[in-house]
Amino acid sequence: MLFLLAFPIVVVSQLSIRKAVQQNDTSAIRELLEKSISFQFDNSDSAKVVAQHAIHLSEDADYEIGKAKGFNIIGAIYYY
């Protein structure tokens, strides 16, 4: 019976921790995307690698916007 009372508290705290980690991950992802954009025309190979890393981190963090921006950058690299 005690387990059933404590279970919701554990779930809520785990969700809060995951949300905090995701917020930190999104900051790192945004920085990577900005770096990728800055490398886009001068060093396209590095820009592609950094964008791919941002995409992988976005997938792990369930950050769809980061994933979309990463693919957009890679598409722009191939276009130009």
Side-chain angles (χ1 to χ4, degrees):
M1 183 73 173
L2 182 60
F3 171 74
L4 293 176
L5 295 175
F7 182 71
I9 295 170
V10 172
V11 171
V12 170
S13 65
Q14 287 177 347
L15 291 174
S16 299
I17 292 170
R18 181 176 175 157
K19 186 175 181 181
V21 168
Q22 284 180 345
Q23 288 175 347
N24 291 337
D25 287 347
T26 59
S27 299
I29 292 166
R30 283 182 281 181
E31 288 180 26
L32 286 173
L33 292 170
E34 288 176 14
K35 286 181 185 180
S36 181
I37 290 170
S38 69
F39 295 150
Q40 186 174 357
F41 296 108
D42 297 330
N43 196 350
S44 61
D45 291 337
S46 295
K48 182 180 167 192
V49 170
V50 172
Q52 288 173 337
H53 186 63
I55 290 168
H56 290 298
L57 289 177
S58 297
E59 288 173 347
D60 292 341
D62 294 327
Y63 183 50
E64 296 296 320
I65 293 173
K67 205 163 108 176
K69 287 181 179 182
F71 283 123
N72 190 6
I73 292 168
I74 290 175
I77 290 168
Y78 282 118
Y79 182 76
Y80 296 110

